[in-house]
Amino acid sequence: MLALAAAGMGYRVHIFAPEDELPAGDVAAEVTRAAYDDNAALDAFAGVVDVVTYEFENVPVAAIERLARRVPVRPGGNALDIAQDRLSEKRFIESLGGHPAPYRTVDTLADLTAALVEIGPRAVLKTRRMGYDGKGQARIGPGDDPAAAWAAIGERAAIVEGLVAFDGEFSVILARSHDGATVVYDVPHNRHEGGILDVSAVPAPDFIARHAAEAVALTRTVAQALDYVGVLTIEFFATPAGPVFNEMASRVHNSGHWTIEGARVSQFENHIRAVCGLPLGPTTLTAPKVRMQNLLGDAVHDWAAVLADPGAHLHLYGKSEVKPGRKMGHVTWL
Ligand code: AMP
């Protein structure tokens, strides 16, 4: 989606990725298929591009830093470095006045058992690194054996968070340009199934919208602290006590996919504009209501019904293999 937005503005996109199957490569001018630690490939890539961005949170920071010595990388590796480790992410957010769920660091089963006494028996154990879409997570309830959760996440360095009794979930999607100007999208109300985003809708209902100003202010502070360039997303839980920080992503976000048709300028185009040093575009809605539904796993087979609906915009990502919970595409209704 970034490559499509860039191509529409006359840019030639060069994808660097290790995977055999590259949906972005299908719509880009050039592809380098190489490992993130292939220094020769990284150097060759840096030699032929004008600017680099990334849209996957598990790109090794070392690869980004190597590229950044030869070519501008936006956003910088500093944001990626923080966002890759749930512990450093939460500490960073707290240092800027944000409020994550109560959490403890877990390096051993004994740490986990002790933490549950302090934060309560309802909790989520999450690996510090390499988790996304509910992967690397285990829920814990009263009476559960902590050892089972510890085994389920592979006994890896983790944090355990208290389960937040939220009214709903939402995200702030902000774009910041090299000169510090920012634009923000309407906050979407996000619903997850099994830790995976299912639906994002704007405008958000009141019980979410009343937390937007505080959450946007924190997101602006984060972007400024990182001297961030590009789209930054922060996910929040709406609670009676205010917005609780959940997670930060230094990239365009699934909860902003609705902006392709639902906003005057999409998150993808604004990210490309920011990265390329162009002025940002307006984020205003193009319809009174916008709703994005992910096509997870087998739901992708419903494409014919989606196309029969004149109000629906179908997006398929060109992934060849359907797996349960895999994001195969999405539909947006205006
Ligand atoms: P994450 O990958 O950390 O964003 O978690 C994925 C989803 O799991 C979230 O969007 C929530 O729906 C749920 N979740 C994660 N952590 C918590 C928590 N501490 N309390 C309640 N729900 C959570």
Side-chain angles (χ1 to χ4, degrees):
M1 289 175 269
L2 281 169
L4 290 170
M9 301 175 74
Y11 292 114
R12 301 184 74 243
V13 173
H14 187 151
I15 303 294
F16 186 110
E19 290 85 9
D20 287 335
E21 187 182 76
L22 293 177
D26 292 341
V27 297
E30 302 283 345
V31 172
T32 296
R33 192 174 276 101
Y36 291 125
D37 62 359
D38 181 339
N39 287 338
L42 287 169
D43 292 347
F45 179 69
V48 295
V49 298
D50 296 304
V51 61
V52 174
T53 189
Y54 53 86
E55 62 79 67
F56 174 55
E57 55 263 58
N58 292 325
V59 177
V61 173
I64 295 298
E65 283 173 350
R66 189 172 182 100
L67 293 171
R69 287 199 283 273
R70 304 183 58 166
V71 65
V73 179
R74 300 171 182 149
N78 59 343
L80 192 63
D81 193 31
I82 290 170
Q84 279 181 353
D85 180 350
R86 289 185 187 274
L87 180 62
S88 57
E89 181 176 278
K90 286 177 199 296
R91 286 185 173 153
F92 174 67
I93 291 295
E94 286 175 309
S95 77
L96 297 175
H99 306 286
Y103 68 92
R104 295 287 184 276
T105 311
V106 172
D107 291 314
T108 63
L109 178 56
D111 289 345
L112 176 59
T113 310
L116 291 172
V117 173
E118 288 174 15
I119 63 171
R122 285 176 218 281
V124 189
L125 182 64
K126 302 180 178 181
T127 56
R128 278 174 58 176
R129 293 183 165 275
M130 301 297 277
Y132 66 98
D133 283 351
K135 295 186 176 75
Q137 299 194 10
R139 292 253 175 151
I140 303 172
D144 287 352
D145 181 2
W150 181 235
I153 65 151
E155 305 189 356
R156 285 184 290 156
I159 52 122
V160 62
E161 294 174 18
L163 193 73
V164 177
F166 53 72
D167 298 327
E169 295 184 71
F170 67 100
S171 46
V172 176
I173 302 157
L174 173 148
R176 186 172 185 273
S177 65
H178 64 291
D179 60 4
T182 58
V183 294
V184 181
Y185 290 91
D186 276 45
V187 301
H189 178 205
N190 303 327
R191 270 155 289 175
H192 293 78
E193 291 288 341
I196 305 174
L197 183 67
D198 185 30
V199 173
S200 289
V202 289
D206 250 18
F207 66 88
I208 299 271
R210 66 198 179 92
H211 298 298
E214 189 179 337
V216 167
L218 177 65
T219 309
R220 276 217 172 84
T221 304
V222 169
Q224 202 170 355
L226 294 169
D227 197 15
Y228 196 91
V229 177
V231 168
L232 171 72
T233 308
I234 301 190
E235 294 179 85
F236 292 91
F237 302 124
T239 77
V244 171
F245 169 88
N246 175 25
E247 200 170 46
M248 147 180 152
S250 54
R251 55 171 169 78
V252 288
H253 199 257
N254 192 176
S255 65
H257 283 14
W258 59 271
T259 62
I260 296 174
E261 292 90 7
R264 293 270 298 284
V265 172
S266 75
Q267 63 165 350
F268 302 102
E269 181 174 334
N270 265 332
H271 184 80
I272 297 296
R273 288 191 190 201
V275 164
C276 296
L278 306 182
L280 301 175
T283 55
T284 23
L285 300 188
T286 59
K289 283 187 188 176
V290 186
R291 182 171 181 272
M292 189 282 316
Q293 164 92 58
N294 269 333
L295 295 175
L296 301 175
D298 281 332
V300 71
H301 299 308
D302 299 341
W303 59 268
V306 174
L307 287 178
D309 177 348
H313 296 265
L314 177 67
H315 296 258
L316 298 177
Y317 305 153
K319 298 177 179 176
S320 58
E321 199 187 344
V322 181
K323 293 184 207 160
R326 191 176 194 200
K327 291 172 176 170
M328 304 301 296
H330 73 267
V331 187
T332 302
W333 286 272
L334 303 188

